[in-house]
Amino acid sequence: MEKIKSNLIEAIKGTYPDAREQDHEGNRLDFYVKKQCVPSILNYIKGEGYIHLSHIAFVDWIEEGEFELIYIVWSPKDKIKIFIRARVDRENPLMPNIESIWRQANTYQREAREMYGIQFEGFEAPNEFVLEDWNEIPPMRRDFDTQAYAEETFFHRPGREDAMDVREAIIERSREEIPDFAKKYSR
Amino acid sequence: MINDKNSQKIVDILQNWARKHSLFVLAYGTGCGAIEIPPTMTSRYDAERFGIRGAATPRQADVLLITGYLTTKTLKRVIRVYEQMQDPKYVIGFGSCTINGGMYYDSYNTIKVLDKYLPVDVYINGCMPRPESVISGIVKLQSLIAEGKANGAAKYKENLDWYRANQKKIIPNWVMPEYNW
Amino acid sequence: MELILNILGAIATIVLAFTVGMSYGGIVRKITARVHNRMGPPWYQNFIDAFKLAGKTTAINHGIMQHFGPAFIMVSSIVSLMIVPVLNGGGWFENLNFGGDLIFLLYIMVFGPLGMALGAGQTGNPNSAIGITRGLSQMVGFEIPWVMALVALMVQFDTTSIVDIMRIQNESGTWMMFSSPFAFIAAVMAMLGMFRYSPFDIVGAPTELASGPVSENGGKYLLTMMSSGSIFAFVKLTLYVDLFMGGADNLIILVLKTFALYMIPVLYGIVSPRYRTEQSIRFFWGWPTFFGLLAILYAVFV
């Protein structure tokens, strides 16, 4: 497996010198690439036997002003999954369309367009995917405040304002310290 | 004699008794609660001994069992289903999500309080309610029917404008048939 | 005077058929529940259901045929009830038994499903349309062994009258299920499809089709269909008892015989999953048709 991995890294870095690899233990291998290279890299590794597009995941790096798209590809022959990671500008998120490589990418791209507002070049699909009559900013973006939206849109039954924060109750009972990073999320 | 008030009362008592003992339940399995329906109906908890029976279509159903959270998208379908049902009809809200939003209290696409949109006769608390509580909720509904107090459908008809306003607030694109029976 | 007595007899027959059929339905639910290791509803549950359905409003209008569909089924059930002799020697339940009734019965028994098809077709519900298609396909399946069995009986005893067949059985002292066994086997196999219990419940399959043809009918329409189904079940069972088990001398024997016969599709159904349409038709065109053919050969040559 290590040999297959190093061969793959060599081949990809030979063609795309600015691709950066990150080797994980086991059967996982990550590549950080430029967004223009994504279709050609996917095309290449599909020819190498990585025929299954497991998923396209999306991450909103709001602090860096970027979205990250992670194409997870699996080879049933080598038993290795490759993560192709590409970043795109948050203000103008335009990604290359990979629908011609894998047709099932259509579903993921529709989801990305609706939930994150990421656009794809020459991508044609019905406008609504899961949401209906949605007029706000895409709801999975981190600058969308879902609690404020919910409080404004829906009726709420009074009586859960004093609901105990479970974490604080547990800590009080067992006299533990809250770690600093967790305090930010505690109510 | 026929339209006498007392004879009407006797007919009501008889009809309420029959309604109580033959509830056709349409389980609208939108949320996770749908998984509690099979154990309720099958051999361990056997809801059929109360005369409860699954109905496959809204036309035949008496009880609409809303199992779990309702998104704004499924609420539209639930309203449609509820309005297709024939009188007398009852609604059971099932699980915390229908009562106050439950764990989805801050979600952008699930409604929190069901009885603002549909007339709920009985709520069953829990996340998820176990089959015992489902059965106790249904028995509660039966006792309400026997007393003639389960009149959610009449409430819906009287306050249709209020319910419609609430529904249209979260379903802006309203294309549905008129409710006129 | 005679006319009034006849009408009273007809009404008594309908009430009897309704009561027995509905009670059988309730008992079947109870038996199913006991097989599943449940308590089950009481045996009179179907009467409560019927009473409740009568009290429901029915505010659906899809057109005239939708209202006629349940009426057609009811008419078909009652006409076939009038033709089938209930007891040996007639008595109160003589009704309309006449010379060529077996052939007429064959026609009138398919009238109900056809009326149902028209009614359900107008509701515009896709589930109804699929259910109707399946029902008619399955009917094509089980009608063949069933007609073969009847033709074998007609050829063997040279008569098309049910009353005559009952008389022959009583005179000779042997039931038809012993004197023409192959016809009985074919007819019983066809009965499995006629009653639409599992594995042949492809018409109203609740989880697939949302109860199929009746999916747009609630309230009083459902009541009409339910009661006509019960009456029709009684008719079919009585017909089998008349043809193959020597009829019945009084009501108690009739109930015992029909119940014993009814248990064949019910008990076979409880332990079976559901067939697909083509599997069902393949079943009926297999062994049942073979036995039907054998019955005709037996009738002609023996």
Side-chain angles (χ1 to χ4, degrees), chain C:
Chain C
M1 196 59 209
E2 204 179 325
L3 183 71
I4 296 171
L5 275 183
N6 280 343
I7 292 173
L8 280 180
I11 292 171
T13 320
I14 294 171
V15 170
L16 171 82
F18 178 76
T19 319
V20 174
M22 293 291 259
S23 316
Y24 277 6
I27 292 169
V28 165
R29 280 175 76 176
K30 189 86 185 168
I31 289 174
T32 316
R34 294 309 298 165
V35 173
H36 293 170
N37 203 1
R38 291 188 278 134
M39 285 286 293
W43 66 269
Y44 50 86
Q45 180 65 44
N46 273 8
F47 292 101
I48 307 179
D49 285 356
F51 189 68
K52 182 213 73 178
L53 286 174
K56 266 179 100 75
T57 52
T58 311
I60 314 159
N61 186 9
H62 290 294
I64 297 171
M65 268 325 287
Q66 191 229 340
H67 303 297
F68 273 132
F72 274 174
I73 308 175
M74 198 67 183
V75 166
S76 157
S77 307
I78 289 182
V79 170
S80 35
L81 175 67
M82 291 294 111
I83 291 164
V84 173
V86 179
L87 294 181
N88 279 337
W92 262 76
F93 307 113
E94 188 158 351
N95 301 328
L96 294 173
N97 314 331
F98 62 92
D101 43 8
L102 204 48
I103 291 174
F104 182 63
L105 197 69
L106 272 178
Y107 279 98
I108 203 71
M109 274 170 79
V110 297
F111 177 73
L114 287 176
M116 176 96 172
L118 289 173
Q122 200 175 32
T123 61
N125 191 320
N127 288 328
S128 305
I130 301 172
I132 286 296
T133 321
R134 290 180 170 199
L136 293 182
S137 323
Q138 183 171 324
M139 211 164 75
V140 170
F142 70 73
E143 281 285 311
I144 287 179
W146 167 232
V147 171
M148 278 176 157
L150 289 193
V151 166
L153 287 190
M154 292 181 210
V155 171
Q156 191 170 358
F157 298 100
D158 215 8
T159 174
T160 59
S161 162
I162 307 175
V163 183
D164 275 354
I165 291 179
M166 287 160 79
R167 191 173 44 76
I168 291 166
Q169 292 180 73
N170 282 333
E171 281 169 5
S172 65
T174 46
W175 290 357
M176 212 62 98
M177 57 190 280
F178 301 119
S179 56
S180 55
F182 297 118
F184 180 67
I185 294 173
V188 162
M189 282 176 149
M191 184 169 79
L192 295 177
M194 236 182 256
F195 278 100
R196 292 183 189 160
Y197 283 108
S198 300
F200 303 105
D201 58 344
I202 57 172
V203 179
T207 44
E208 284 176 55
L209 286 187
S211 72
V214 297
S215 54
E216 278 291 306
N217 293 299
K220 291 163 187 105
Y221 298 104
L222 194 60
L223 168 68
T224 316
M225 288 180 177
M226 206 169 121
S227 44
S228 74
S230 304
I231 292 175
F232 205 44
F234 178 81
V235 170
K236 284 181 281 196
L237 291 170
T238 315
L239 180 64
Y240 271 87
V241 169
D242 287 348
L243 289 181
F244 295 105
M245 296 168 78
D249 288 326
N250 56 43
L251 285 179
I252 296 172
I253 294 179
L254 179 77
V255 167
L256 284 179
K257 279 181 180 174
T258 48
F259 191 74
L261 203 56
Y262 198 27
M263 282 302 105
I264 297 174
V266 169
L267 293 182
Y268 184 58
I270 292 173
V271 293
S272 307
R274 187 184 304 138
Y275 274 159
R276 291 202 304 272
T277 315
E278 66 269 23
Q279 289 170 326
S280 157
I281 293 175
R282 199 174 297 147
F283 173 85
F284 287 120
W285 288 359
W287 286 107
T289 311
F290 172 75
F291 278 116
L293 211 59
L294 219 57
I296 292 180
L297 292 179
Y298 183 82
V300 172
F301 293 111
V302 182

